[in-house]
Structures are given as C-alpha cells and as structure tokens.
Amino acid sequence: MDFIAVLVISACFFSWISAKYHHHNQDKDKELKYLLEPLVYAEVTARRGHAVVLPCVMKFKPPHYRVKWTKIEPPSQGVENIVLITNGNADKQYGSVGPRASLLRAHNLDVSLRLTDLELEDDGSYRCELINGIEDESVIIRLRIEAWTEGLDWCNAGWLSDGTVNYPVLHPRPACGGDLLSGIRSYGPRHKTREHYDAFCFTSTTKGSVFFIPGPFSFAEAERACKRDGASIAKVGQIYSSWKFQQLDHCDGGWLQDGSVRFPIINPREHCGGIAEPGVRSFGYPSKSLRLYGAYCYR
C-alpha cells in the first residue's frame, strides 16, 4: 500500500490549560449546576492509534437525565455529529466514531468519553451535554491528534478518507498558510469529483525501494525501461516513502505511474529546484509523449 508517512504510535499526554465551559442554549456562560468544570484540562492531546479520555464529571445526578456527547468542531454537513448518548443505564453509540466510543465510568458520577484507535479525523472539539429538560448544560473539551509531530510537515493539501482536505504543519511559516500555530490545517469537506488535490495515504511497512533510470523517455518508454529492470514505474506514494524513509535524493525529473513528473530532494541546493526546503518537487502532468524525463521505478 502507498503512503506518504508512517504515523508512529506512542503514549498520549495532556496539556494543562485553564478550562472553558458553556451553558446550553444560552448566549453567555453560566455557573454549572450539575457538571463539574474541568479544572485540570479542557484540552487533551493524543497521538493517532492510541486511546484517550475526554473528561466530564457530574457534581450530582438529577432525577431524570441524559448525557449526550457530540463532536461539534469541525462541523459535519447537515446533521448533528452525535457520538454517544446515555440515560445512566444504557448507552447508544452513533456515527463513525461511535463504535470506538464508550463511557469511562471510573465512579458513579463519571461520564467521561473514552475513544480508542484514534484517527486523524478525530481531531476537534467535543461537547458533553447534560439534558434534564429544565436546565441543560455542557462542557467542551478540545481533542488534538498529534500526527504531525513525527516529522510530517507538508504544505500541499491532500484528501483524507472522510472527504476532507487537510495538510499538516510542524513549522509554521508565511509560505505555508501563514504564521499560525502548528497543527493540521483543514479546507473542510470538498467536492470529490470537481476538485483536485494530493492524497495522504497510510501503511505500516514497505518492502521495496525506488530507483532512477536516466532518460529521456516518453511515459510509455519509462514504463518499459522499468520493466526491463524487473521493476514497475513508481507510484506517487512510493517516491514519497523512499524520500522520507530511505533518503532518496535526486535532481532529475522522472515519470511516475499517475503521469506526473517529480523528483525527491533531501539536501536542497540552488541548481536543484531552487527551493530551500527538502521535499518531492513536481513538474505537474506534462504530455505523455514528451521525451524529456527519466523514470522512477519501484522494485
């Protein structure tokens, strides 16, 4: 399977910041009656693949109540993104996150949400809402998924499996979306057929490697050249993988399986694209009949 980066799994950790809370259906904040303000942390940071607990604890139980966990940011299109609802006796999970969601129930008043097998798209804000029909109230917890901390710092936006377009930034800079905080920048859901972006792919292993054959070749000639060497023309994910993990560094543009022409740079230099940062450079999608480029092959 192709991939751009392997997201290494490690233990989650918490960031300690002042908590924020919101009273349900009111314009201004109000002192909570039933729920405890999360005094220790209102933002939790974890890494992809691990489990995390989003804290929500009651001061006491009203006679009749429900607790509803909802993902509120980024918003889903058209419907409320409910994760789990409980009446204190039975729980019901909803949506794509639901099968990985449960209540911690560390004690009788604990309605904290536990999420397992964290995914990149789990990043966002979650609301724990106590509903009793009279004085509904809620607290909001921010969950940050640290996928980019393993070195994935990429200015090109790419598709994710949920139909959103994102890119991870470890080192904010003006040329890469502005001097904002590091994190995952999102364009939100995009049109899946009219709009074109790169793609972020995932796998846990790679067995082969990418190598370069000098041209000049047309696209068809590049395919044949790779085949003569017992290889196939490389895919985009394979050249990114070899650049990232095998330190592939080559200044010459070469054909890839999708019809694009690219070259990988580990050590930037003036005569090799003129860009000061390492990366995989692209010449776009030239006519496949042009005999100007070499071939990147995978074996």
Side-chain angles (χ1 to χ4, degrees):
M1 185 186 298
D2 300 344
F3 72 109
I4 293 179
V6 176
L7 306 180
V8 179
I9 299 172
S10 64
C12 66
F13 59 94
F14 301 111
S15 62
W16 303 74
I17 65 172
S18 60
K20 60 181 179 179
Y21 57 93
H22 300 272
H23 186 269
H24 183 60
N25 288 335
Q26 295 291 335
D27 292 332
K28 55 192 295 186
D29 293 340
K30 183 179 178 180
E31 182 178 356
L32 296 172
K33 179 178 180 181
Y34 297 106
L35 296 175
L36 285 175
E37 177 188 352
L39 296 174
V40 178
Y41 49 88
E43 180 172 300
V44 176
T45 303
R47 293 188 180 180
R48 180 177 174 172
H50 265 248
V52 72
V53 172
L54 306 184
C56 186
V57 177
M58 294 185 288
K59 298 176 184 178
F60 61 91
K61 292 182 179 181
H64 303 285
Y65 72 95
R66 290 182 299 150
V67 171
K68 178 170 70 173
W69 276 98
T70 308
K71 187 178 182 186
I72 58 174
E73 291 179 357
S76 59
Q77 290 186 322
V79 295
E80 187 178 22
N81 195 2
I82 300 173
V83 176
L84 181 147
I85 296 178
T86 181
N87 63 5
N89 297 312
D91 308 337
K92 185 171 183 180
Q93 291 84 5
Y94 296 85
S96 60
V97 181
R100 297 181 286 112
S102 61
L103 294 183
L104 183 63
R105 288 198 170 95
H107 51 77
N108 192 40
L109 299 175
D110 185 11
V111 287
S112 300
L113 183 69
R114 185 175 187 268
L115 299 178
T116 61
D117 300 320
L118 288 173
E119 300 176 359
L120 195 63
E121 48 268 36
D122 292 337
D123 186 275
S125 294
Y126 292 75
R127 180 173 60 214
C128 174
E129 183 179 1
L130 187 143
I131 305 169
N132 69 355
I134 301 174
E135 296 182 275
D136 300 347
E137 59 188 39
S138 63
V139 295
I140 292 176
I141 306 295
R142 180 76 169 91
L143 172 61
R144 293 189 181 275
I145 306 300
E146 295 215 327
W148 61 90
T149 57
E150 298 305 326
L152 185 57
D153 182 276
W154 196 246
C155 275
N156 290 2
W159 291 103
L160 297 181
S161 62
D162 64 350
T164 62
V165 173
N166 305 265
Y167 63 99
V169 175
L170 184 60
H171 305 291
R173 59 261 194 205
C176 198
D179 292 321
L180 304 173
L181 296 175
S182 61
I184 299 170
R185 313 279 173 80
S186 179
Y187 294 170
R190 312 302 297 180
H191 196 282
K192 294 182 179 179
T193 57
R194 288 202 301 260
E195 300 187 44
H196 295 80
Y197 300 93
D198 289 340
F200 288 102
C201 310
F202 176 80
T203 188
S204 58
T205 60
T206 181
K207 296 180 179 179
S209 61
V210 172
F211 60 95
F212 180 77
I213 301 179
F217 301 129
S218 66
F219 177 79
E221 290 169 339
E223 286 186 308
R224 291 194 291 269
C226 291
K227 189 174 182 179
R228 283 195 299 269
D229 273 27
S232 58
I233 192 166
K235 299 178 181 179
V236 174
Q238 290 165 343
I239 196 171
Y240 274 106
S241 168
S242 293
W243 164 73
K244 175 66 177 177
F245 298 105
Q246 298 173 357
Q247 303 295 292
L248 184 64
D249 184 287
H250 206 90
C251 272
D252 297 312
W255 291 103
L256 296 178
Q257 191 181 90
D258 68 340
S260 66
V261 173
R262 307 178 192 234
F263 62 98
I265 296 299
I266 294 294
N267 302 306
R269 52 262 196 203
E270 185 176 352
H271 71 282
C272 204
I275 301 176
E277 298 176 352
V280 177
R281 313 282 187 251
S282 176
F283 290 140
Y285 297 82
S287 170
K288 290 185 176 181
S289 62
L290 284 178
R291 300 182 72 250
L292 296 176
Y293 309 107
Y296 284 100
C297 309
Y298 180 79
R299 182 175 56 206

